[in-house]
Amino acid sequence: MSSSTERMPRLLALVPYLLARPGIRVDEAAQDFDVTPKQLRKDLELLWMCGLPGYGPGDLIDLSFEGDTIVVTHDAGMNRPLRLTGSEATALLVALRALAETPGVVDADAVRRSIAKIEVAAGQAQPAGVVVAGGVREGKRTAETRETVARALQTGRALRIRYYTASKDQVTERTVDPMRLLIVQAVGYLEAWCRRVEGVRLFRLDRIDELTVLEEPAAPPAHARPTDLSDGLFSPRPGQREAELVLGPDARWVAEYYPCQELAELDGGRLRIRMRYADESWMVRLVLSLAGDALVERPESLGEAVRRRAADAVARARHLPSTYEH
């Protein structure tokens, strides 16, 4: 039995695969897709009913597989194999590398083989602005942080961390008892018992400025439970407001660094996002720090607060003494 989640990628890949191998035997194709010949024939029968809107004789995929071989006689435009973009390959590689180094993975060798195959398939699709280290495209400091956290988990040691909380624009020092490493949407998190707040917290790895593995053992209390992520990583909290922003090309990093929802790709490389915030003054500082690369679409009160703060800054600047000699 083949589940729908397994079948859909196979159906999308079948037509370009068969076009590249006209007359291939059914049993050979089934072996390449790791299914039985019977299942492959069922897939081919389903493809007969797929195609372009109109669904007439010239719109549907047409194949011949009555004998032992398969020939595509009409591809209905499905003639290109699926390929990973550079960003998709990056996200997948980062997640797989972290998974391979996480204690408790059943078959780490299989994960590493997958990493090697994706690296080969990704070819030259390397995004700019990141360090390629150990086959994983992520910031060097973040990679070192992840390795240190993984080592603390393996040895059962507590950690002392210096952590930046973006929503409060605040840096704090904490002693934590590591519980697990998480990869959510290609971003790494440490889940740990925080002794400072006496609760389970998620710490984003790229916001840990400093960390030290302590000699004392990690000892999360018995009642500490992993975070329920069934409704997503960041669920709405009372008092939070939502902002819609349009980010310019140079400000798109905001959508990766802060929890938000991407709404639409716009012309000129711009991106419309929605993000929650509790502190308006923090949100105003964020928008102003983007130096014109962010436009507040709503709420109107946030846009007005940004305009007021910018006007105040310009007014104060007019009264500053000149640093130039005339």
Side-chain angles (χ1 to χ4, degrees), residues 14 23 27 33 35 62 70 75 87-88 92 109 174 188 203 217 232 264-265 276 283 295 298 307:
L14 256 174
D27 55 350
F33 281 91
V35 295
D62 199 5
I70 313 168
D75 58 44
S87 60
E88 289 170 338
L92 193 54
D109 287 339
R174 309 164 184 243
F203 300 99
E265 289 280 352
R276 301 188 190 101
M283 194 68 185
L295 171 67
R298 71 174 187 89
R307 284 189 289 271

Side-chain angles (χ1 to χ4, degrees), residues 5 17 43 124 223 238 242 316:
T5 54
Y17 167 88
D43 292 341
Q124 300 301 314
H223 63 270
E242 283 191 341
R316 287 196 300 270

Side-chain angles (χ1 to χ4, degrees), residues 156-206:
R157 299 293 181 182
L159 287 167
R160 181 178 295 116
I161 66 173
R162 189 169 184 267
Y163 188 71
Y164 171 64
T165 304
S167 61
K168 298 180 180 178
D169 194 22
Q170 183 181 62
V171 176
T172 55
E173 293 194 4
R174 309 164 184 243
T175 299
V176 301
D177 300 292
M179 296 167 61
R180 60 175 176 166
L181 268 172
L182 294 171
I183 303 295
V184 182
Q185 297 179 337
V187 177
Y189 294 86
L190 161 66
E191 184 170 43
W193 175 264
C194 177
R195 300 182 189 178
R196 180 172 176 267
V197 300
E198 297 186 339
V200 176
R201 293 291 185 270
L202 288 171
F203 300 99
R204 187 163 157 160
L205 297 184
D206 59 358

Side-chain angles (χ1 to χ4, degrees), residues 74 123 200 221 226 290 306:
H74 181 61
V200 176
L290 298 174
V306 171

Side-chain angles (χ1 to χ4, degrees), residues 163-309:
Y163 188 71
Y164 171 64
T165 304
S167 61
K168 298 180 180 178
D169 194 22
Q170 183 181 62
V171 176
T172 55
E173 293 194 4
R174 309 164 184 243
T175 299
V176 301
D177 300 292
M179 296 167 61
R180 60 175 176 166
L181 268 172
L182 294 171
I183 303 295
V184 182
Q185 297 179 337
V187 177
Y189 294 86
L190 161 66
E191 184 170 43
W193 175 264
C194 177
R195 300 182 189 178
R196 180 172 176 267
V197 300
E198 297 186 339
V200 176
R201 293 291 185 270
L202 288 171
F203 300 99
R204 187 163 157 160
L205 297 184
D206 59 358
R207 293 180 188 162
I208 298 177
D209 291 336
E210 298 175 7
L211 77 165
T212 305
V213 180
L214 303 178
E215 289 298 322
E216 61 183 286
H223 63 270
R225 292 289 180 269
T227 305
D228 181 5
L229 300 175
S230 56
D231 293 327
L233 185 59
F234 299 99
S235 54
R237 294 193 299 271
Q240 281 189 320
R241 288 164 283 184
E242 283 191 341
E244 279 191 17
L245 308 177
V246 173
L247 304 176
D250 291 337
R252 290 176 66 103
W253 60 267
V254 171
E256 300 176 0
Y257 194 70
Y258 298 100
C260 65
Q261 179 184 358
E262 295 185 13
L263 299 180
E265 289 280 352
L266 305 176
D267 61 327
R270 297 178 303 149
L271 180 68
R272 178 178 285 113
I273 65 168
R274 179 185 298 135
M275 61 186 299
R276 301 188 190 101
Y277 64 99
D279 185 347
E280 184 178 79
S281 63
W282 175 84
M283 194 68 185
V284 168
R285 290 198 303 274
L286 173 64
V287 174
L288 290 174
S289 72
L290 298 174
D293 278 323
L295 171 67
V296 178
E297 291 199 326
R298 71 174 187 89
E300 186 177 338
S301 59
L302 175 62
E304 182 57 35
V306 171
R307 284 189 289 271
R308 275 199 313 271
R309 185 75 65 86

